[in-house]
Amino acid sequence: MRHRFDRLLGSTVGADALLLLPFVALLTWLLVSGLGPRWDAQVYFGPHFTLLADFARAGRLLLWDPWSNCGSPTAAYVEMGSFSPLTILVALLTGGSSIGFLLYWLGSWALAGLGLLRLGRHLGAPTGANVAVAIACSFSGVHLGTVTHVSWLHAMSFVPWMLWRLDVALTTRRWTPALQAGALVGLAGLAGHPSIIILAGLLLVLWTIGRVLTERPRLELLRSLGLLACAGSVGLLVVSPAWVTFATESRGYSDRSGALEKSIAVGQQDLEPSMLATLASPYPSVLDHFNPELWPTTFAGLTCTYLGVLLPALALLALWSRPHDRWQWWLVGIGLVSLASALGDSLPIRGWVYELVPPTRYFRHSAIFRAGLLVAITLLALAGSKELIGERATLAWRRLVVISGVLFLMALAMHGMMTSSVEHPGPHLLGSHLHVLLAWGSAFVLAFVAWRKSRFREWTPIALVLLALLDAGCSTWLMSPLTLGTRPEEPTTRSRSLDLTERGLQRAQRALNEHLAVKVPVAEAQNQLSNRFHSQRSLQALPTSWMNEDPLVAAVQGAPDRTWFSETATTVAVSDETFRAFIQRSRVLGAPPLVVHGRKEMQAGRARGETAPSEGDDARRIAELPAARRVAVEVTEYSPTRLVFTVVCPADGWLLVTDRWSRSWRARVDGAEAEVLGGCFLFRALAVTKGRHVVEMDFALPGVPWLVALSWTLLAGVAITSRWPVFVTRGPG
């Protein structure tokens, strides 16, 4: 099959251009229609991309966001890319505009396909089939289902690049590609979802073990493990600023700082067996959006397992043609374990993985394991594409006729059963039927004609790419109700200033993160670093949130004097029971009493319902506390990581500053160090004496800037010392 088409795309430039064609078409459509990614992309990642650009323009790292949720350690929210040089650079160059974010989103998406082209070349796949497989994988339902969660998309897009460089290291026994693989892992982790990065790390381990066990002659075990360890060490050092910040700052600030209970990690957001109907078409995931009773426990975007029409057919061809290839069966094992894990508590596998691989105890979405299935099937498809050329091509095409015919019939049956079982047909039901007929039927017709007409095989690379493009376009359109929405307009009052001094302590109640562009501080905003004492949305077992009910709402928002003073305070445990006692006393008084918590108590991280030994005594002491009262302050400096104000205290007592507590806040009162305690479960409290004081508060993250310097220096060092032209030339290395 190495004919005109392969010669045309003999360079990476031609193949890359063809791969990028659907992305250019998608970008054009989005720009003309005013659409953009929706859900998390619109609510979380877009506004923070704008904020990141403003910090980059000011020459600062985005460590603390004083505008959201009474203050938020955004650097601990790894997915926002506070330490990613790639994300920061794109944000800076595009000014943080909505178009800039759109380009960043699509660029991250396209990166996966470009990496697959490199990996496919390394593995010897024919050029035409390699391009087709890369397009099919990039626009599979698994990928499309996660494109609105930009950090998942970002992390997944680096996986083929990691595999390529690691496999080059293993097969050539060279250290430089291992360093490159580690640098890619770390770069992905600086703005990628940790669950995907951990899964990628597990995949690299399994890849190395599989290569050692299945190669003939076997690769040298110790050297292979050394290369893997080298890649892992570099990756951990590069990602260290983000992950160390999460480990330190999330404790005491968010409930999402530790491992999840097994029932949550295994049983929530998992695939149900009936979701495998999405292997026939991505449209059942859209039906789930319009029929919430279909799969009520899983977000619609995570229900999709559609792999396209080319990937499963070529993967099965590889297994049929080379039934004794141990490497291929190793990939099958990886895919099946991944699928079994994605099924959550429907099978015991996810529970075993939870026990045996501790990092996976942090995964809230079991369905994310289906990414491993996509990787395994894609690699098998690349192997299968090699069977379509050479002396056994006729036999391979005949086998592909059988495979594609069976898959066509199965897809028709599965799609028909699923679409007939729901009440609401969704917006594109007829289109989904046509997609199944066209895509799966075209695969069968293509295989049949190539089998019967040997002269046609010269043009099969073009046909494969056209089929992949057809499938990609239809899948993107069918999934658009889940992935695309109206692109937000640029705010006319956007502010790039990071200085809050002029506004002082004024704060609004809530917003949906659009406040970040205009720099309006709010008490409540959408944030994944949730805290049950702060957000009504996450309380569930608690009776109320003091952030949502008067008279307590005035304690943290609106009024310029949202700093409170009390001569009397008591130290209590941070637990649900003491919080209830605090709420009850606040209602009686019409204002909050003042309770404080030591640093260790704030970081204890008690789960919902977990009791503390002193709860009974704490509740009784809270019931005897007087109301705190407002105290006026004069703000002289207020920036993201620094707050300076002057206050006159009427007596010895305690000062409550209603900005959120985090372990890295430090304070000085009249130049002397003062301990920043937790106050009223969420905020900062200081012991003060009577009289006039100048209070300075500074946010100083551990390891910053040294860990950032180490991370970026490693990335730069690997880039400088690597033979980077290898990324744009043809060849195994």
Side-chain angles (χ1 to χ4, degrees), residues 609-648:
E610 184 179 347
T611 62
S614 61
E615 275 187 357
D617 293 337
D618 290 347
R620 284 191 292 272
R621 292 199 304 273
I622 291 173
E624 298 172 355
L625 286 174
R629 59 185 184 273
R630 295 184 189 279
V631 59
V633 301
E634 179 185 351
V635 177
T636 56
E637 185 178 349
Y638 197 2
S639 67
T641 56
R642 182 168 170 80
L643 172 60
V644 182
F645 61 86
T646 302
V647 61
V648 178

Side-chain angles (χ1 to χ4, degrees), residues 100-178:
F101 176 68
L102 185 65
L103 293 173
Y104 174 72
W105 175 66
L106 276 175
S108 296
W109 191 350
L111 193 65
L114 295 174
L116 278 168
L117 287 182
R118 304 302 185 275
L119 180 60
R121 283 179 179 274
H122 167 67
L123 296 176
T127 302
N130 190 19
V131 173
V133 168
I135 294 174
C137 179
S138 301
F139 288 88
S140 66
V142 176
H143 234 114
L144 286 168
T146 57
V147 294
T148 60
H149 203 300
V150 180
S151 65
W152 290 356
L153 180 68
H154 181 89
M156 289 175 64
S157 294
F158 277 89
V159 171
W161 296 89
M162 303 173 194
L163 292 176
W164 170 42
R165 300 319 296 162
L166 179 66
D167 199 58
V168 170
L170 294 174
T171 53
T172 63
R173 300 186 179 184
R174 291 190 287 121
W175 294 99
T176 299

Side-chain angles (χ1 to χ4, degrees), residues 178-229:
L179 292 173
Q180 294 168 349
L184 290 166
V185 171
L187 184 59
L190 288 174
H193 198 281
S195 64
I196 302 295
I197 302 303
I198 293 172
L199 284 178
L202 294 175
L203 183 60
L204 295 179
V205 172
L206 292 174
W207 183 284
T208 302
I209 295 173
R211 281 301 200 197
V212 170
L213 295 179
T214 62
E215 287 295 318
R216 295 180 180 176
R218 293 183 179 179
L219 298 176
E220 182 184 345
L221 174 61
L222 291 179
R223 190 172 184 86
S224 298
L225 294 178
L227 292 167
L228 177 65

